[in-house]
Amino acid sequence: MTDTITTASAATEPQHCVYDAKDFASGAHPVWCPGCGDFGVLAGLERALAKYGRGPHEVVLVSGIGCSSRLPGYMSTYGFHGVHGRALAAGTGLKLARPDLEVIVVGGDGDGYSIGGNHFIHTCRRNPDMLYVVMDNRVYGMTKGQPSPTTEPDWDSDIAPGGIGLRPFNPLAVAIAAGANYVARGFSGDPNGLAELIVDGLKWPGFAFIEVLSPCITFRPEQRDWKKMVRPSTLSVEQDRAAATALVLADDGFSLGVLYRGDRASIAPALPTETTMGDVEREFAP
Amino acid sequence: MSRRSIAVVFAGSGGSGAMTAGAVFLRAAARAGYFGMMTQLFGAQVRGGESASLVQIGVDPIEAQPDRFDAFVALDWDKVEQFAAEIPLDDTSLIIADPASGPVPPGIAKAKGRVVSLAMTGAGESKLDRALLGKRVNMFAAGCLAALCGLPEQHIAGAVEAAFGSKGQDVAAANTARALAGAQAAPALALDLKLAPPRHNERWLISGNQAVALGALRGGVRFVGCYPITPATDLVEWLAPHLIKLGGRLVLGEDELASINLALGASYGGVPAMTVTSGPGFSLMVESLGLAIAAEIPLVLVDVMRAGPSTGIASKTEQSDVNLAIYGAHGDAPRVVLAPLSVADCAATTEYAVYVTESLQVPVIVLSDQMLGQATAVVDPVSDRPAPLKRKINGAGASQPFKRYATSGDAITPMPLPGTPDHEWVAEGLTHNEAGLPASGAAMHAAQIHKRARKIREFDAGERWGEVTGEGDTAILAFGSTVGPAREAARRLAEAGRQVRVIALRLLAPLPVKQLAQALTGVRRIVVIEQNDTGQLYRHLLGNKAVPVDAESVARPGPLPFRPSEIVNYVA
């Protein structure tokens, strides 16, 4: 009798494994340029997941196309490297089908805000319980330097001489307006600070969006100065949607930290089975 | 003399209830033991436009549009004339109308059918009742026609109650009363439309779109990503509540790009998944279809074809997505394409599609069309259940790192479910090596292309490749909604002493070349029939050397369905 109970409780007891950041590295060599901000994001993710405590097999990294979207191949977790712009849709489908998994969608500003912009809005609106990390370097890097939705209007490039002339997209304001539950900004130059945000975002229910300033030193060498420009956000407006919106609209884009936390419900989970195929087929009787 | 079948049209302006009349007439026939099929015509309006229901009922299964209609029942004459081209009538057709609706319009009268006067509004009803409850001309007409065909009143009443039961007892009773009043008015018309006695058996009343959904559920699909599009929307509208009750879920995507990727994400997670669309949506999905092929992720993609290209004719049929289904995608991207042979076969073909995609890890396209999808038919219950095939998920004993895309050995390699320790892998749309990491070398590129090609080449659909009916040295080759009219044409030719073989092709890609060769043994003349202008299937058959160069192509665009007489005239 006692034996039976012992066995049963041992089987249901969660296994306590201790992970190290390097347990989450695949060992593959990144295609990124030396000095790319994305190395810092990779380090931040590895450290965050080690701290978070779920094993590589329980995590799926989902991405689209672009330099930063190569990240799933550099981690030892499960991964889904899909087509350009559609990572959030694939990640949402996966999370809804498999709520037991930890789903993290990663990508860049072109992938997430331009070709995938519609999915960004509607994923915020659905608010699935998953994390989205955007490595924003305000440029299309893989295609060698075209302006993205977050590029400054006067940034000169071959494809837009003299600048694109458009006001940059404000992803944080859009995320808050569209219904994301957690909105934060991190910096790739501070992997530890970023790791804390990632753990926090993973724990917060609903859709957590972390915009990471991740310099492209190849096509935007001036972004090296970002390390001097970033600073922790001084205002605490986390729970106030209107105040958080005002903050991210007025901000120069270099305030770091959690900028908004909401408590909106996620898209509803699947329901328990309550019918049989036999019952379904009986409906076809005339 | 009693008839084997009868074809009736109910037509009227918006709000006249032409669709409900057809549905009740068909259901009454089904309850009485007859087979039948109903298709629908709509004006272009979103709501309240004129419409017509085209119903044929009979002693034997019905899988084709009739050549002509025995009766045209006008609930009123408002704008109904526009359907004239799609409703063949002749001088033996009956034009049944209420004289109060005015004269028969020229477009309908020109067929010179016999005009039968029938007062359809209830004389005994007060004006207040009519204002509150409507005139229910449609129920009167349905009841009258049903009685003319010899359908018992109990089945007429039962059909009305089934149609209106959910709207409350008062509504059901008022409609039943009008339908029975119509039935009682039938004898005075002195028309002989009586059907021969039916064979009573258990039957299903089901549309092609519902049958696809049923097949998907039977096969185990428990996740659907979709976006509204005519004529596929009613498929997912029927599916949604049933899928939810079976513990699955349907996510309405923000567009078709999201829909297919929602489904691919779920499928990667191990849940059999499907997306449902029509031509324009399918075009948007094509890039991600390529991803599913490259990354080897199972997916059922249902295309309920409509007239194209571009927006085309949203509510009307055509078989013009053959090229897109078989070849659509950049790069070498082989996949499986299946086309149901009838309304009932939509169930078994879709269930089979789920099994094939799960076992091959390659997307399977179910190529239905508006004519099949939105036809409602009385059929024998679909007992045909393909043998289940499972996804290979056990990667035990594999080397480290786990080689998800191993190229030696079986072309179908294990895809462990996320959550399985020590088998982590990345679903990769870039050309990848065996471990799933990006690789751009020529040798690995060719090796992965060949691995995927081998899965398709080694796939054997067995008996499910298609169906051959009839004998003779002339063969009609057809797929989808043209199979029904082709078979009806062959039946008539056989009656006239001319034996014709019908080869109904279910597996469009990869072409079952061996099985086709066997089916064509002894055939001297081949006629490939399809509803598109460029002969898309014909060229596919020629390109695969599945038919000889002297095979004939009968290819014309939709949306008018092939009628048996059209095929008889060509072949004879």
Side-chain angles (χ1 to χ4, degrees), chain B residues 76-94:
Chain B
D76 58 52
W77 287 118
D78 190 22
K79 295 186 196 152
V80 163
E81 214 178 349
Q82 65 160 303
F83 297 131
E86 291 166 84
I87 301 173
L89 301 169
D90 61 24
D91 58 4
T92 62
S93 304
L94 300 170

Side-chain angles (χ1 to χ4, degrees), chain A residues 26-28 31 55-62 65 70 72-84 86-98 100-101 115 118-123 125-126 267-277 279-286, chain B residues 27 30-31 158-159 162 203-207 210-211 214 217-218 222-223 238 242 244-249 251-255 257-259 261-271 287-288 291 295 297 378 382 385 416-430 437-438:
Chain A
S26 75
V31 293
H57 63 285
E58 297 173 291
V59 178
V60 186
L61 279 160
V62 180
I65 296 298
R70 289 292 193 105
Y74 309 141
M75 296 192 69
S76 63
T77 64
Y78 280 88
F80 184 106
H81 186 197
V83 299
H84 198 22
R86 319 293 163 218
L88 283 171
T92 301
L94 174 60
K95 182 66 191 182
L96 295 179
R98 290 286 307 276
D100 57 308
L101 297 170
I115 191 170
N118 197 25
H119 311 307
F120 180 53
I121 294 168
H122 289 277
T123 307
R125 192 174 145 245
R126 289 190 189 101
I267 183 171
L271 301 171
T273 303
E274 56 172 83
T275 190
T276 63
M277 281 310 300
D279 285 338
V280 172
E281 288 167 13
R282 269 186 282 282
E283 289 181 26
F284 294 120
Chain B
R27 189 178 286 272
R31 292 172 80 98
R203 298 273 157 68
W204 280 0
L205 186 60
I206 193 168
S207 76
Q210 289 170 344
L214 174 70
L217 291 175
R218 278 179 162 184
R222 291 298 179 267
F223 188 97
W238 182 87
H242 296 92
I244 291 165
K245 284 183 195 164
L246 286 164
R249 70 180 309 153
V251 181
L252 193 58
E254 51 273 30
D255 53 32
L257 308 165
S259 303
N261 280 283
L262 283 158
L264 286 176
S267 176
Y268 171 78
V271 176
E287 185 195 15
S288 298
L291 167 67
I297 305 168
V378 185
V382 182
R385 301 288 307 270
L417 301 182
T420 312
D422 304 323
H423 288 82
E424 293 84 355
W425 59 278
V426 178
E428 182 56 82
L430 282 164
L437 290 171

Side-chain angles (χ1 to χ4, degrees), chain B residues 484-499:
Chain B
R487 285 178 174 169
E488 175 62 18
R491 197 187 58 75
R492 291 185 198 173
L493 286 164
E495 271 179 8
R498 173 91 189 273
Q499 297 299 324

Side-chain angles (χ1 to χ4, degrees), chain B residues 14 45 117 162 198 343 395 422 566:
Chain B
Q45 297 88 335
S117 294
V343 168
D422 304 323
E566 186 179 355

Side-chain angles (χ1 to χ4, degrees), chain A residues 80-83, chain B residues 260-261 264 267 282 285-301 323-337 357 360-365 404-405 411-413 415 425-432 445 447-456 509:
Chain A
F80 184 106
H81 186 197
V83 299
Chain B
I260 185 170
N261 280 283
L264 286 176
S267 176
F282 190 5
M285 292 180 180
V286 164
E287 185 195 15
S288 298
L289 180 72
L291 167 67
I293 292 166
E296 304 191 44
I297 305 168
L299 174 76
V300 174
L301 191 162
N323 287 343
L324 179 64
I326 299 175
Y327 301 109
H330 55 277
D332 291 309
R335 79 295 304 266
V336 175
V337 181
T357 195
L360 290 190
Q361 302 168 22
V362 77
V364 176
I365 292 154
R404 160 70 180 111
Y405 300 107
I412 301 167
T413 46
M415 55 179 299
W425 59 278
V426 178
E428 182 56 82
L430 282 164
T431 289
H432 42 261
H445 182 59
Q448 291 295 339
I449 282 178
H450 293 153
K451 171 193 192 288
R452 298 190 293 261
R454 198 149 56 87
K455 290 197 296 187
I456 299 293

